[in-house]
Amino acid sequence: MARRRVNTTKYEIIQEATRLFLTKGYSNTTPKQICDTLDISTGNLTYYFPTKEHLLAVLVDMLCRFQAKTIQDMVEEDGVTSLLAVCTELTSMAAMSEDSQIAKDLFLSAYSSPICLEIIRRNDAKRSQIIYKEFCLDWTEQQFVEAETLVSGIEYATLMTTGDSSPLEVRIAGALSSILMIYNVPEQLRKQKITKALAIDYRTHGRYVLEKFIEFVEQTNEQTFEALLNGTCQEM
């Protein structure tokens, strides 16, 4: 029996695009660069991904999965509460954006993209229903969705710095306080979690998390290719 020919073009595009986004930066990467590296036509690229934003959405989906896994690992391996873990997540994002222009560009591009922002809000709303349920017992699913609209705005404002922006620690503390207030976390507990999150060497932790995310993307792409060749790949 003849062996079935596997079309890997879509996944080669994802692999190369995500590599360039994480090494050159999303804004510095053009569709033509992706096409030239893979020796494919622009039409071939746009057949799978109509715009560069659609490729960013694939990376953002990986980011959401990575963040969920990171929080789960912190809770299971380090014994921290999910509330502190989610505070540490924003702290790391802010530190990454402060120290890495590529990370900052990725986050700000994602929060500025309607496609990507929908992915972020959808994932975070589901997660928030678990993390904050004890403080929002009478909330509906829609209320969590609406809350994430506010939270994503706060997160973007924390990452989007200008020449007169407040110092990193001040921005993190203010953002966490506002977010925890939205979810009815009591003041004493808010202060406790924010203090613990800021007590971490968050710049070092941010660099570590960025490295682990890059590894996660590479492994995800490799596993997808392996599954594709074995005939067990699920659509990304």
Side-chain angles (χ1 to χ4, degrees):
M1 180 183 293
R3 188 168 185 176
R4 182 173 66 89
R5 185 174 180 273
V6 179
N7 185 354
T8 61
T9 304
K10 175 181 178 180
Y11 301 97
E12 288 173 353
I13 292 171
I14 291 172
Q15 187 175 50
E16 183 59 24
T18 52
R19 184 189 71 80
L20 288 171
F21 292 167
L22 292 171
T23 54
K24 293 175 60 68
Y26 173 74
S27 296
N28 292 328
T29 299
T30 65
K32 185 178 185 303
Q33 289 171 333
I34 299 170
C35 291
D36 288 349
T37 304
L38 296 173
D39 194 23
I40 62 174
S41 67
T42 303
N44 207 351
L45 173 66
T46 55
Y47 173 78
Y48 294 103
F49 302 98
T51 68
K52 190 174 75 164
E53 186 182 358
H54 287 84
L55 276 165
L56 177 62
V58 176
L59 184 58
V60 169
D61 184 69
M62 291 187 197
L63 175 62
C64 290
R65 282 185 277 152
F66 169 77
Q67 289 176 329
K69 181 180 182 301
T70 300
I71 287 178
Q72 182 179 357
D73 289 346
M74 287 183 68
V75 172
E76 293 179 355
E77 297 174 11
D78 298 336
V80 304
T81 64
S82 57
L83 192 58
L84 177 57
V86 78
C87 289
T88 302
E89 175 187 272
L90 179 57
T91 304
S92 299
M93 286 172 58
M96 270 188 258
S97 296
E98 192 90 347
D99 293 340
S100 168
Q101 186 58 42
I102 287 176
K104 181 177 182 179
D105 180 52
L106 170 63
F107 287 131
L108 294 183
S109 298
Y111 279 90
S112 301
S113 156
I115 298 173
C116 297
L117 190 55
E118 182 180 353
I119 294 172
I120 293 169
R121 287 174 175 170
R122 183 176 64 245
N123 279 273
D124 287 359
K126 290 179 181 178
R127 188 177 66 181
S128 296
Q129 290 180 58
I130 298 172
I131 294 175
Y132 300 109
K133 61 182 178 181
E134 65 179 294
F135 311 111
C136 309
L137 293 175
D138 59 345
W139 278 30
T140 64
E141 183 177 336
Q142 184 58 34
Q143 284 176 292
F144 281 100
V145 172
E146 292 168 355
E148 279 306 318
T149 301
L150 298 174
V151 170
S152 61
I154 294 170
E155 291 171 341
Y156 178 83
T158 306
L159 304 174
M160 180 61 193
T161 56
T162 60
D164 58 354
S165 293
S166 300
L168 178 59
E169 183 170 329
V170 174
R171 284 185 282 117
I172 291 172
L176 290 178
S177 180
S178 298
I179 292 170
L180 297 181
M181 283 179 67
I182 288 173
Y183 287 109
N184 301 325
V185 178
E187 182 179 6
Q188 181 88 16
L189 188 57
R190 289 200 308 267
K191 291 180 177 179
Q192 180 189 80
K193 298 305 178 183
I194 293 171
T195 299
K196 286 187 176 181
L198 290 174
I200 298 169
D201 183 354
Y202 45 82
R203 287 188 181 274
T204 299
H205 186 67
R207 288 191 290 271
Y208 170 78
V209 171
L210 180 58
E211 290 173 4
K212 299 304 289 185
F213 174 57
I214 293 172
E215 289 177 12
F216 177 83
V217 172
E218 292 173 349
Q219 290 171 1
T220 298
N221 286 331
E222 289 172 4
Q223 289 167 2
T224 299
F225 263 103
E226 184 177 344
L228 180 67
L229 297 175
N230 291 335
T232 59
C233 179
Q234 295 182 350
E235 200 62 21
M236 293 183 71

